[in-house]
Amino acid sequence: MKRVSFCLAASALLWSACSTMVPQDEIVINLQDKGAEVASSMYGIFFEEINHAGDGGLYAELIQNRGFEEHELPSGTMLREHKACAPTSPSYYGGHENNWYAHWDEEALKFKAWSVVSEKCDVTKDVITPSEPLHKNTPNAFKLGISNIETGGKVELINSGYWGIAVKENEKYDLRFYLFSRDYKGTVTANIYDTASGEVVASHTFEVNHSGKWVEYKAELIAGKTINKGEFRLEFTANGNLFVDYVSLFPRETFKNRPNGLRKDIAEFLAGMKPAFMRWPGGCIVEGATLENRVKWKETLGDPMTRRGEWVLWGYRSSWGMGYHEFLQFCEDLNMDAMFVANAGMSCSIRNGDYVSEAELEPFLQDIRDAIEYAIGNVKSEWGARRAAAGHPEPFPLKYVEIGNENSTDIYARHFNYLYSHLKKEYPDLTFINTMSWKEREIEMVEQTDMVDPHWYENPGFFFAANGLFDDKQRGKYTTYVGEYACNNGVGKGNMEAALSEAAFIMGMERNSDFVTMTSYAPLLCNDHQPNWKCNLIWFNNEQVVGRASYYVQKMFADHAPDYNLGISKSVGELQTKLIKTGTFGIGSWDTKVDFKDIKVTQHGEVRAIDPSQFEHKQGEWNVLPDGVISQTAIQAATRTLLKDFSSDEYTLELKVLKNEGREGFFIYYGMTEDGMNGYVFNVGLWGNTNVGVECFMDGSTAGILGTTKPISVQTGQWYDVKVEVTPLKATLYVDGKVALETLAETYPLHFFASGYDETAGEVIVKVVNANSKPYVAEFKLDGAAVIENTGKVISLKANSLGEENSFDEPYKIYPEVISYDKFGKNFNYEFSPFSYTVLRIKARY
């Protein structure tokens, strides 16, 4: 599809009707009222190896499983009954044993992306560790045995790439592979093959050295046509035994033409966001499924052939071709600062959660020191010298170090205090970031930090309502980096509603830019063939790169970031109320075994006892015990059973609850749809049995906190008296006769406003979100300006409905439109389209 370009229309006739419409709001902007400065670091990007964002994505390598290491177990695990099992140890998050494992099909993984076809011969194949491996870090190799070959016979070792090999006509590709043989006395031909037409589009033949040593083979292949779903083939035509290892096919033209570089079109999409910084390498993979499975940055350096690689907890192995050096180089190439995320001596809490003691932290501290030295150290230092030897004697732009990822608890606080106290003293110019978010009980245990990093993955209602989330936060202790956020609940793979709610949230961050100085959406990238995460900013396949509506929201904020905020009379419009849904109620838990009994519901003064047989089980393991007890016995997420043939928005539910085992507490569902997939839930004992909150329940899982949470802990072996009162406007939870939490129906505005000033351009920047289905007219008054020019620009992102989104078929369905507008002035009206995010740029001097 032809790309739609940014354009400036000479006329503003389309907007002339605005002046005749009655404004719904008056918005006063004062150019003399200077607000918080917007940091140049505000808008960045966060990269993690998830969704094949690196291998098969940003990293330009075309061969999948190039080193035949895919079946290697995650570090720190053992194979038991087709499972990669972590060691049994207490988790730092709660002290229980998670006993994490991943299903593991070793034989299938050996041949991932590889196959063998033969004609007129016999062939044996396997992936093994030869007695003389190519390199200690890549011990496995593909073993081929060819015998009884006839005239015209051949064996082809075929790689399917990442859902196809993609090459472009007349482009050059660098081939590199290794062979070991003592008795193969034939040739090997490397082919790029078009599976659609049966054509070979590039080819090179080598004489094979059969000296009994590993021999490297290299060639330049030039593609004869453009294909996107091809194969790479190594063709053998003689009897003999061979080992094949490290097969690499790399485009010569990468971003900035860096060797071992990045896929150009994806990198250019990222460059288009004008990111101020990049966070790497994650994300949960920083912690690892086990502590040994964490990212070890030193193993990502050097010749890609020697890089060990590692299985990442998103379900596939990373080659670490895009390693620490490539990350730093990309930061330099995009003129952005680098943020390195370091392990804090603990693995992911929702995987194994194993950790080291404070006495064992010194190696982790030294590892962070070494990473800093590699990036910015003097070339006379050990790791600075390694950087120079890699071709970069000058320092890289490392500015931030995050210690851990989504870690918390007193154990993390002690780890952070130890690491920070040493690192800040040694590197005072670097910014060190804590991951505890705003859990006040825990953050108080941190002696000192430069920044905190809270994360939000929520539904649209949360983000619309969170426009004012930062308004009243205490300043002075630290600044905030919102390192991960996305509207990813109740919006499918993403849509315009998600994008607009994020725009409202970003306005709140920008308005409070003295407190929030850095932000990054997550996840950033997704190969369309393997989405580990349902909502991602940028989609790609072998042919295309597509930005979601959310991508263009991000881009518009970066493109139109003011130097500072201006005083504005209102930041949000009239509140909308979303009543509590009519539906049934239910009971359940999260990773906890729970009993329920004495269940009764009261409506209009009539009390009705509920028999266990009246429930319909949706998820979990449910049993009816003597005395009418309903028992849930699975350690499983979002277990639930719902009352059949019941639907109401006004009733009182009473019951008794007993926690038997597990890491959290219990669930009370209300306003649930009949299929049990959507509604609300009182989550009693969330966040490791520390709080109670109400969450939206969407698509069969919790989908973000509504309102506030309150501290609570559910004790094992103790019966609790629980009561829930539900009305259309309010739901109230009582535990043992006391109000544990009250939540009101969702209320949030659909119109949002922000203003700032761009000193370089001499322009007032006005940002408006209209999330309503109707056009919205506002009257603007610009106070404190000496001169205002009538002609300026309007940049608008809009859709026909909240459910619309870009796609591979329509990549620019939702795309910023730029027009010239000549009706600006001290007072002017403007009509904003339904479902739109709009930026006005007005020339003004004060």
Side-chain angles (χ1 to χ4, degrees):
M1 176 174 287
K2 185 177 179 180
R3 176 173 178 151
V4 180
S5 62
F6 283 90
C7 63
L8 285 175
S11 169
L13 292 176
L14 291 174
W15 307 95
S16 61
C18 299
S19 60
T20 64
M21 300 188 70
V22 178
Q24 296 162 254
D25 277 304
E26 179 185 84
I27 312 297
V28 180
I29 298 170
N30 189 344
L31 275 72
Q32 302 294 328
D33 184 7
K34 183 177 178 180
E37 293 185 1
V38 178
S40 60
S41 59
M42 191 69 172
Y43 299 113
I45 55 177
F46 161 50
F47 179 89
E48 181 171 15
E49 184 57 89
I50 180 176
N51 309 308
H52 273 281
D55 285 337
L58 184 58
Y59 181 53
E61 173 66 77
L62 298 178
I63 302 295
Q64 184 174 187
N65 191 16
R66 65 186 179 185
F68 305 100
E69 305 297 325
E70 194 76 25
H71 65 290
E72 286 292 309
L73 289 167
S75 295
T77 68
M78 296 181 63
L79 186 65
R80 292 198 293 265
E81 297 179 349
H82 303 292
K83 296 176 181 177
C85 299
T88 298
S89 61
S91 169
Y92 82 89
Y93 194 82
H96 53 276
E97 294 174 353
N98 287 348
N99 292 318
W100 177 89
Y101 66 86
H103 293 285
W104 204 258
D105 188 338
E106 186 174 30
E107 286 304 306
L109 290 171
K110 278 184 178 182
F111 302 102
K112 187 171 183 179
W114 291 97
S115 61
V116 173
V117 297
S118 61
E119 295 179 22
K120 299 180 180 180
C121 66
D122 296 324
V123 63
T124 60
K125 65 176 184 177
D126 202 357
V127 175
I128 66 169
T129 302
S131 57
E132 299 177 52
L134 171 63
H135 191 274
K136 64 179 181 179
N137 290 340
T138 56
N140 298 305
F142 201 105
K143 181 181 180 182
L144 274 177
I146 306 170
S147 59
N148 300 321
I149 197 162
E150 302 175 15
T151 302
K154 65 179 179 179
V155 173
E156 290 180 294
L157 177 60
I158 302 171
N159 188 273
S160 58
Y162 293 94
W163 301 279
I165 299 285
V167 295
K168 295 180 180 179
E169 185 175 2
N170 296 325
E171 293 289 325
K172 297 177 181 178
Y173 295 85
D174 291 319
L175 172 64
R176 178 187 182 193
F177 64 97
Y178 290 80
L179 297 179
F180 178 103
S181 181
R182 292 188 174 93
D183 60 359
Y184 182 82
K185 299 178 181 179
T187 61
V188 58
T189 300
N191 295 318
I192 300 175
Y193 181 80
D194 180 9
T195 57
S197 67
E199 297 176 77
V200 172
V201 302
S203 184
H204 189 90
T205 299
F206 304 85
E207 292 290 334
V208 173
N209 183 316
H210 56 274
S211 61
K213 297 180 180 179
W214 282 103
V215 177
E216 182 181 29
Y217 298 82
K218 289 184 174 183
E220 176 188 276
L221 301 182
I222 301 177
K225 65 183 290 191
T226 296
I227 60 172
N228 293 302
K229 294 180 174 63
E231 293 176 342
F232 175 78
R233 300 183 172 193
L234 288 176
E235 180 182 304
F236 302 90
T237 56
N239 290 321
N241 297 283
L242 305 102
F243 285 103
V244 184
D245 205 356
Y246 191 76
V247 183
S248 173
L249 184 65
F250 220 90
R252 180 79 53 83
E253 185 179 8
T254 60
F255 185 70
K256 301 286 186 181
N257 291 321
R258 299 289 182 191
N260 195 52
L262 307 182
R263 181 172 147 178
K264 188 176 180 182
D265 56 349
I266 298 177
E268 287 173 345
F269 240 74
L270 299 181
M273 296 176 69
K274 299 180 181 177
F277 65 89
M278 180 174 173
R279 176 181 173 214
W280 181 94
C284 293
I285 66 171
V286 168
E287 304 157 280
T290 70
L291 190 53
E292 280 302 304
N293 179 239
R294 70 189 185 275
V295 177
K296 303 180 182 74
W297 67 270
K298 292 173 183 175
E299 294 182 358
T300 76
L301 301 178
D303 182 344
M305 184 273 286
T306 68
R307 300 187 191 185
R308 180 181 169 278
E310 178 64 77
W311 182 90
V312 296
L313 49 70
W314 298 112
Y316 59 91
R317 190 174 185 84
S318 171
S319 68
W320 291 131
M322 181 182 167
Y324 188 46
H325 186 95
E326 288 78 18
F327 150 66
L328 293 168
Q329 184 63 69
F330 189 47
C331 289
E332 182 177 88
D333 287 344
L334 261 61
N335 193 31
M336 57 184 175
D337 293 318
M339 180 189 298
F340 171 64
V341 188
N343 188 282
M346 48 189 60
S347 73
C348 179
S349 64
I350 63 172
R351 275 81 182 186
N352 207 48
D354 51 321
Y355 63 100
V356 300
S357 68
E358 291 171 74
E360 299 170 298
L361 277 176
E362 181 60 32
F364 292 84
L365 173 62
Q366 189 59 49
D367 195 61
I368 300 172
R369 287 188 182 117
D370 293 345
I372 294 171
E373 286 298 313
Y374 185 89
I376 63 174
N378 189 288
V379 293
K380 294 183 180 179
S381 70
E382 176 187 357
W383 289 99
R386 294 214 189 177
R387 181 190 71 242
H392 202 286
E394 296 301 316
F396 281 118
L398 180 70
K399 189 173 181 180
Y400 309 96
V401 176
E402 185 160 7
I403 300 175
N405 170 74
E406 293 184 347
N407 299 133
S408 59
T409 75
D410 57 336
I411 295 174
Y412 170 70
R414 293 195 296 270
H415 283 205
F416 180 86
N417 289 338
Y418 175 86
L419 296 170
Y420 179 91
S421 63
H422 288 82
L423 293 167
K424 192 63 179 178
K425 187 182 299 182
E426 296 166 20
Y427 303 99
D429 294 333
L430 293 181
T431 297
F432 294 94
I433 304 170
N434 180 284
T435 75
M436 271 195 177
S437 184
W438 295 334
K439 297 177 183 176
E440 293 298 338
R441 183 186 68 82
E442 294 180 354
I443 200 69
E444 287 174 359
M445 295 184 285
V446 174
E447 294 168 1
Q448 187 177 352
T449 185
D450 300 335
M451 300 187 84
V452 297
D453 177 12
H455 298 171
W456 286 280
Y457 294 104
E458 305 286 353
N459 58 72
F462 172 89
F463 282 113
F464 282 130
N467 175 269
L469 181 65
F470 308 97
D471 291 348
D472 300 321
K473 291 297 179 184
Q474 182 180 353
R475 270 62 167 167
K477 289 185 177 180
Y478 46 74
T479 55
T480 295
Y481 162 45
V482 180
E484 297 181 37
Y485 70 95
C487 179
N488 68 348
N489 287 304
V491 294
K493 291 175 63 178
N495 57 31
M496 189 62 172
E497 184 179 23
L500 292 178
S501 72
E502 290 157 2
F505 182 63
I506 299 169
M507 282 183 176
M509 292 193 284
E510 194 172 90
R511 184 174 64 251
N512 289 278
S513 52
D514 60 325
F515 181 69
V516 180
T517 61
M518 301 174 70
T519 68
S520 54
Y521 182 103
L524 180 66
L525 294 166
C526 179
N527 189 311
D528 191 52
H529 292 279
Q530 184 163 341
N532 298 111
W533 202 257
K534 59 185 176 181
C535 277
N536 305 280
L537 197 65
I538 298 168
W539 302 325
F540 60 86
N541 55 28
N542 285 342
E543 304 168 58
Q544 286 180 274
V545 186
V546 176
R548 284 183 47 227
S550 293
Y551 169 83
Y552 292 107
V553 164
Q554 295 282 326
K555 189 176 186 316
M556 286 172 66
F557 271 97
D559 286 344
H560 305 288
D563 291 302
Y564 53 83
N565 287 274
L566 291 175
I568 190 168
S569 58
K570 60 166 58 182
S571 58
V572 298
E574 183 179 354
L575 293 178
Q576 313 290 315
T577 300
K578 184 179 179 182
L579 297 178
I580 293 173
K581 302 170 185 174
T582 296
T584 188
F585 65 80
I587 51 180
S589 62
W590 188 288
D591 286 349
T592 306
K593 300 180 180 181
V594 193
D595 290 349
F596 303 88
K597 69 177 182 177
D598 298 344
I599 304 171
K600 60 185 178 181
V601 63
T602 302
Q603 283 184 293
H604 312 298
E606 181 180 342
V607 180
R608 171 187 167 194
I610 305 300
D611 188 271
S613 65
Q614 295 174 276
F615 283 92
E616 183 176 4
H617 309 320
K618 299 294 185 179
Q619 185 154 305
E621 297 176 4
W622 294 91
N623 300 289
V624 177
L625 306 179
D627 301 323
V629 172
I630 308 176
S631 183
Q632 198 295 116
T633 58
I635 299 295
Q636 188 177 356
T639 69
R640 58 197 183 279
T641 186
L642 305 180
L643 185 65
K644 295 182 287 187
D645 302 321
F646 181 87
S647 184
S648 178
D649 61 3
E650 194 155 4
Y651 57 90
T652 299
L653 169 67
E654 297 174 88
L655 69 163
K656 295 181 184 294
V657 185
L658 171 72
K659 173 182 174 179
N660 292 308
E661 179 186 341
R663 59 189 296 178
E664 299 206 336
F666 58 89
F667 280 7
I668 306 294
Y669 296 90
Y670 64 97
M672 292 291 291
T673 54
E674 187 177 354
D675 63 3
M677 297 299 288
N678 297 281
Y680 311 92
V681 58
F682 276 106
N683 186 340
V684 187
L686 57 77
W687 298 338
N689 200 20
T690 60
N691 278 259
V692 56
V694 169
E695 296 193 72
C696 278
F697 198 80
M698 294 183 178
D699 301 326
S701 187
T702 53
I705 296 293
L706 296 174
T708 61
T709 64
K710 290 190 176 180
I712 198 170
S713 179
V714 181
Q715 301 303 309
T716 301
Q718 176 180 333
W719 281 102
Y720 291 90
D721 289 316
V722 177
K723 181 170 73 172
V724 175
E725 294 176 345
V726 177
T727 73
L729 292 173
K730 183 173 65 174
T732 307
L733 172 73
Y734 299 82
V735 177
D736 288 339
K738 297 180 181 179
V739 175
L741 188 67
E742 180 180 88
T743 183
L744 302 177
E746 295 177 77
T747 57
Y748 49 82
L750 296 178
H751 304 119
F752 300 85
F753 317 95
S755 64
Y757 194 77
D758 182 336
E759 290 275 9
T760 303
E763 293 179 345
V764 173
I765 299 174
V766 181
K767 300 174 182 179
V768 177
V769 167
N770 178 18
N772 206 342
S773 60
K774 299 176 182 178
Y776 172 73
V777 180
E779 178 185 3
F780 291 90
K781 295 185 176 181
L782 300 185
D783 289 347
V787 178
I788 299 173
E789 295 186 18
N790 297 122
T791 300
K793 293 180 185 178
V794 177
I795 305 95
S796 185
L797 188 74
K798 55 190 176 183
N800 294 315
S801 71
L802 290 176
E804 281 192 339
E805 182 57 280
N806 293 331
S807 67
F808 286 102
D809 291 332
E810 296 182 279
Y812 302 108
K813 186 174 187 176
I814 302 171
Y815 191 81
E817 296 177 353
V818 184
I819 68 163
S820 177
Y821 184 72
D822 61 4
K823 298 291 192 295
F824 291 130
K826 184 175 177 61
N827 292 354
F828 67 93
N829 294 350
Y830 196 86
E831 179 182 288
F832 297 91
S833 298
F835 311 129
S836 65
Y837 165 50
T838 304
V839 178
L840 312 179
R841 297 200 67 122
I842 308 164
K843 291 282 186 182
R845 296 191 298 277
Y846 57 91

